[in-house]
């Protein structure tokens, strides 16, 4: 009789310790979340305030991707507070389901926007005459952005049912439902939001890369003969901003593939086998923490994407740098003004 009780107590202690580790890890989400808020917010503001970038379909799509990453940063900055404060279970469960829905919706919108960006670059570079009118193209891609959010809102709805708060786990938020619905949903999501987008983006960027290489070779050959040098040839060879943008988008696609596959592999594997985070937590601390790392790496895309855009895209980098300069000067002026204010001692009149 005594042995089972000790074993149960040990198991309960292990369960509590494991979820305490997860709780501590979730608190560290606040650091990348705040970073994502600052970087994505700066890029979003810079694009909307720019008269030139706000008229370009590509930067409308980039603003949409940045906006979805901004939403992801906001929700993950709230998530640590759910597990850190002793909220009633029903309140924590509602908040968990709502946050899971928003995270899933914004993440899906970000992925679909990446596909739309690769399609836009494909049309602009390989099929420039297909949508020659910038106004018409902008209108079409605005409709695509609306469609992206409608699709993301609908596809994310099952997350409200499939996720929730694990009772007795310091309000840890996770996928809690099992069964065929769970398996079908996550296999469908993995196919439509990882495999298909990755294949589509790979095809588009491969065609763009091959075209740019072939075009560059032709232009360099023509450049050696002064009689064959044209304005188009010179502009193609000197259009560093377009090449930098394509390079940035290819890198973002590669980062997306590398940083998101652990989560989709984990979700699909758990859906097929019928186990969830509670089973892993009881059987293997290593697999349990591996799942937490997989989810964290997916979240980090909302930090990596804006860093790449700022570093490699000259249009965005220049505008964010100017925005940072204005903020820095504003803080400096505010500090100078506060230091120049008369103190209480200086206001006192000397005794006569």
């Amino acid at each position: 009789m005594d042995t089972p009780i000790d074993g149960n107590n040990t198991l309960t202690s292990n369960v509590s310790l494991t979820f305490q580790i997860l709780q501590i890890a979730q608190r560290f989400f606040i650091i990348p979340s705040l970073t994502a808020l600052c970087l994505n917010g700066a890029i979003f503001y810079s694009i909307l305030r720019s008269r030139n970038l706000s008229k370009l379909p590509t930067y409308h799509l980039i603003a949409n991707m940045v906006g979805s990453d901004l939403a992801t940063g906001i929700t993950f900055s709230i998530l640590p507070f759910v597990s850190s404060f002793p909220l009633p279970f029903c309140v924590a469960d509602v908040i968990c389901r709502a946050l899971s829905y928003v995270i899933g919706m914004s993440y899906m919108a970000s992925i679909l926007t990446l596909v739309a960006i690769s399609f836009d670059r494909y049309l602009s570079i390989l099929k420039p005459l297909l949508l020659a009118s910038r106004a018409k193209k902008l209108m079409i891609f605005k409709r695509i952005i609306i469609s992206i959010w409608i699709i993301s809102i609908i596809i994310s709805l099952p997350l409200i049912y499939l996720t929730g708060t694990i009772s007795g786990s310091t309000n840890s938020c996770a996928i809690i439902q099992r069964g065929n619905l769970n398996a079908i949903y996550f296999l469908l999501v993995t196919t439509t939001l990882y495999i298909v987008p990755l294949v589509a983006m790979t095809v588009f960027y491969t065609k763009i890369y091959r075209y740019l290489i072939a075009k560059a070779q032709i232009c360099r050959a023509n450049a050696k003969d002064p009689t064959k040098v044209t304005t188009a040839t010179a502009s193609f060879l000197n259009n560093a901003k377009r090449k930098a943008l394509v390079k940035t988008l290819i890198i973002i696609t590669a980062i997306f593939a590398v940083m998101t596959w652990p989560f989709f592999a984990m979700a699909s594997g758990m859906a097929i086998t019928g186990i969830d985070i509670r089973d892993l937590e009881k059987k293997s601390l290593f697999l349990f923490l591996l799942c937490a790392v997989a989810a964290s790496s997916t979240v980090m895309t909302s930090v990596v994407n804006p860093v790449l855009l700022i570093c490699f895209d000259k249009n965005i980098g220049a505008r964010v740098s100017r925005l940072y300069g204005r903020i820095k000067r504003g803080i400096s002026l505010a500090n100078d003004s506060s230091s120049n204010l008369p103190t209480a001692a200086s206001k006192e009149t000397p005794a006569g």
Side-chain angles (χ1 to χ4, degrees):
M1 293 293 294
D2 294 335
T3 303
I5 295 175
D6 292 339
N8 290 336
N9 289 338
T10 303
L11 179 61
T12 303
S13 176
N14 290 337
V15 170
S16 176
L17 176 62
T18 304
F19 277 104
Q20 284 176 2
I21 295 173
L22 179 61
Q23 184 184 40
I24 294 172
Q26 287 179 341
R27 289 174 182 173
F28 282 99
F29 282 173
I30 196 69
I31 299 174
S33 298
L34 292 177
T35 305
L37 286 176
C38 295
L39 296 178
N40 287 297
I43 295 175
F44 191 77
Y45 176 83
S46 299
I47 293 176
L48 292 185
R49 295 289 294 178
S50 172
R51 294 181 180 179
N52 296 326
L53 298 187
S54 61
K55 296 178 182 179
L56 299 175
T58 301
Y59 286 97
H60 266 267
L61 291 170
I62 290 177
N64 190 62
M65 179 186 71
V66 167
S68 59
D69 288 343
L70 192 61
T72 302
I74 293 173
T75 50
F76 267 95
S77 63
I78 298 174
L79 185 61
F81 295 98
V82 178
S83 58
S84 299
F85 293 98
L87 299 174
F89 175 78
C90 58
V91 175
D93 188 54
V94 170
I95 295 175
C96 171
R97 293 173 190 270
L99 292 178
S100 298
Y101 174 72
V102 174
I103 291 171
M105 177 183 63
S106 59
Y107 185 66
M108 291 177 189
S110 181
I111 295 174
L112 294 176
T113 304
L114 280 174
V115 179
I117 290 173
S118 65
F119 180 61
D120 167 65
R121 290 294 83 201
Y122 171 79
L123 292 179
S124 298
I125 296 175
L126 272 73
K127 309 286 184 182
L129 299 179
L130 189 61
L131 291 173
S133 173
R134 180 180 294 180
K136 183 178 179 181
K137 184 179 180 181
L138 183 59
M139 180 185 67
I140 291 174
F141 276 95
K142 283 183 178 180
R143 293 176 180 176
I144 290 177
I145 290 173
I146 294 173
S147 301
I148 285 173
W149 282 104
I150 292 174
I151 293 171
S152 300
I153 289 170
I154 295 174
I155 294 180
S156 302
L157 285 174
L159 289 173
I160 299 175
Y161 169 73
L162 296 174
T163 60
T165 299
I166 301 175
S167 59
S169 64
T170 63
N171 290 341
S172 296
C173 190
I175 301 169
I176 60 174
Q177 298 297 334
R178 316 174 189 233
N180 294 332
L181 178 61
N182 186 27
I184 293 172
Y185 178 74
F186 280 103
L187 287 175
L188 180 63
V189 167
T190 301
T191 302
T192 58
L193 292 180
Y194 184 77
I195 298 175
V196 173
L198 186 59
V199 170
M201 288 186 286
T202 302
V203 170
F204 286 136
Y205 285 128
T206 300
K207 290 186 176 183
I208 291 172
Y209 177 77
R210 289 179 177 177
Y211 172 81
L212 291 177
I213 292 296
K215 185 72 173 177
Q217 291 174 349
I218 295 173
C219 289
R220 289 193 187 97
N222 292 339
K224 295 178 182 179
D225 186 354
T227 61
K228 296 182 179 180
V229 176
T230 62
T231 304
T233 300
S235 63
F236 181 85
L237 290 174
N238 297 325
N239 196 351
K241 290 186 178 180
R242 179 163 68 171
K243 294 176 184 177
L245 177 58
V246 173
K247 178 183 177 181
T248 305
L249 296 174
I250 291 175
I251 294 175
I252 288 176
T253 302
I255 293 296
F256 156 76
V258 171
M259 297 187 68
T260 57
W261 78 263
F263 172 78
F264 284 109
M266 174 202 71
S268 300
M270 293 174 66
I272 293 172
T273 57
I275 64 175
D276 62 15
I277 196 73
R278 291 163 292 188
D279 300 320
L280 292 179
E281 171 265 330
K282 293 176 183 178
K283 295 178 180 179
S284 172
L285 177 61
F286 173 75
L287 291 178
F288 179 83
L289 295 178
L290 194 61
C291 289
V293 171
S296 302
S297 66
T298 303
V299 175
M300 285 300 295
T301 56
S302 62
V303 178
V304 175
N305 287 347
V307 171
L308 293 174
L309 287 170
I310 292 172
C311 292
F312 292 103
D313 187 279
K314 295 183 179 180
N315 290 319
I316 292 177
R319 285 164 174 79
V320 171
S321 297
R322 288 198 293 268
L323 176 62
Y324 172 74
R326 290 199 300 269
I327 294 174
K328 189 176 180 180
R329 286 193 298 271
I331 295 174
S332 178
L333 290 173
N335 291 335
D336 292 341
S337 299
S338 61
S339 62
N340 292 331
L341 290 176
T343 61
S346 64
K347 292 181 180 180
E348 295 180 357
T349 56

